[in-house]
């Protein structure tokens, strides 16, 4: 976490400094005075909701401010009942009204993903050359980044560290290249738990919406998975449990198999502690998340877009224990976005896997 990020987190209660906090981390000081205390089902529980809010700029979509206000109102109502997700992760929060959802919903710690101008440290390989030379100006692949990543992570609990990285400019396909998509990782201090939790989010290249061939979008997708591999290897603390939530756009068999193979092999610790898909876990016949898992959960899992993965760390295990869908279909059949927003509650248990003691050198 940079020195600036740390300072911004610490200054969350200083109303006089609010104009200076419009960068990476922007706590909502007004809400801090009126917000109900956050509660959770157990002393070591953490609930996370990922939600693609379709906050695309005009003229790609019409003004959606009214829908965003309804999302905010529902989150505030949940907060009044002490039922709000402790962490919310938004994708496609490109516009100011979309970005404001987290602040206006009462979250104290707010972090944005890669900005429009953030560049990736990863260089192209020789094998990327043909893909790069095939970029189309008319499909947005040579027009530069017009907006940031659209990623927002908001937490009721203190954020201890922040890492963000854009996908390389060559690792995108079609109209997705207009956004500086990437990865955001934070470490959250959970009350009652001696071990923090790492939360990672991303929004990966779309398929049909990208406007290019499926083979081209698949190549970009695979490179993005490899970038996530590298990012997690560089920044993840293996002592901590990890949750990876976002819009993975794994809507085809080719994408799904590539993503799941990498998540199982490269997103865990060196001891290969298992990684699980929360939706798949909660849909098991023995009902590990209770008998009240909404029916729409199976549909969300099959679409392969809005997934949450979780894996233990050496100092604590993590298990999905409950699931709810605050943002699915409304009573009139409409939706507030073209995605479902669901909340998963995780239980943390300390000291799952002790580290192997280092052997003393023989002298």
């Amino acid at each position: 976490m940079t020195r600036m990020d740390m300072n911004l987190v610490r200054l969350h209660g200083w109303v006089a400094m609010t104009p200076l906090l419009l960068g990476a981390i922007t706590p909502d000081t007004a809400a801090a005075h009126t917000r109900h205390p956050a509660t959770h089902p157990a002393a070591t529980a953490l609930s996370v909701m990922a939600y693609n809010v379709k906050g695309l700029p005009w003229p790609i979509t019409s003004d959606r401010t009214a829908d965003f206000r309804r999302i905010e109102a529902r989150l505030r109502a949940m907060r009044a009942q002490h039922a709000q997700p402790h962490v919310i992760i938004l994708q496609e929060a490109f516009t100011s009204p979309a970005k404001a959802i987290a602040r206006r919903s009462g979250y104290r710690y707010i972090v944005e993903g890669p900005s429009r101008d953030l560049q990736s440290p990863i260089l192209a390989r020789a094998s990327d050359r043909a893909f790069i030379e095939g970029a189309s100006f008319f499909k947005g692949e040579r027009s530069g980044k017009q907006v940031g990543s659209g990623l927002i992570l908001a937490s009721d609990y203190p954020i201890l560290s922040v890492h963000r990285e854009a996908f390389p400019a060559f690792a995108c396909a079609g109209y997705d290249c207009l956004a500086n998509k990437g990865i955001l990782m934070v470490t959250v201090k959970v009350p009652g738990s001696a071990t923090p939790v790492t939360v990672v989010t991303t929004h990966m290249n779309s398929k049909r919406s990208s406007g290019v061939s499926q083979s081209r979008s698949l190549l970009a997708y695979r490179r993005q998975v490899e970038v996530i591999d590298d990012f997690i290897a560089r920044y993840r603390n293996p002592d901590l449990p990890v949750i990876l939530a976002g819009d993975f756009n794994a809507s085809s068999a080719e994408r799904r198999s590539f993503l799941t193979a990498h998540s199982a092999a490269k997103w865990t610790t060196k001891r290969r502690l298992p990684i699980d898909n929360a939706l798949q876990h909660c849909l098991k016949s023995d009902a590990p998340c209770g008998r009240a898992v909404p029916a729409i959960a199976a549909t969300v899992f099959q679409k392969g877009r809005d997934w949450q993965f979780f894996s233990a760390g050496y100092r604590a295990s993590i298990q999905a224990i409950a699931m709810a869908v605050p943002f699915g279909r409304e009573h009139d059949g409409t939706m507030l976005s073209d995605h479902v927003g669901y909340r998963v509650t995780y239980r943390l248990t300390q000291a799952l896997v002790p580290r192997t003691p280092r052997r003393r050198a023989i002298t």
Side-chain angles (χ1 to χ4, degrees), residues 68-89:
F68 300 151
R69 295 296 177 262
R70 292 176 67 187
I71 293 171
E72 295 161 9
R74 185 164 305 167
L75 286 169
R76 288 196 300 268
M78 293 170 67
R79 184 175 296 280
Q81 299 296 319
H82 310 302
Q84 82 285 356
H86 303 133
V87 174
I88 61 168
I89 301 167

Side-chain angles (χ1 to χ4, degrees), residues 350-363:
Q350 299 301 307
L352 170 72
V353 181
R355 282 186 174 276
T356 302
R358 293 183 179 179
R359 294 182 179 180
R360 297 181 60 183
I362 300 176
T363 59

Side-chain angles (χ1 to χ4, degrees), residues 283-331:
L283 289 167
K284 291 177 180 177
S285 58
D286 59 344
C289 299
R291 298 290 177 185
V293 173
I296 198 172
T299 302
V300 177
F301 173 68
Q302 290 300 325
K303 285 187 175 181
R305 297 187 299 179
D306 308 300
W307 281 354
Q308 293 192 31
F309 296 93
F310 62 94
S311 182
Y314 295 138
R315 284 170 41 191
S317 67
I318 184 170
Q319 192 64 259
I321 59 172
M323 180 185 170
V325 181
F327 299 96
R329 290 205 174 275
E330 303 295 292
H331 294 302

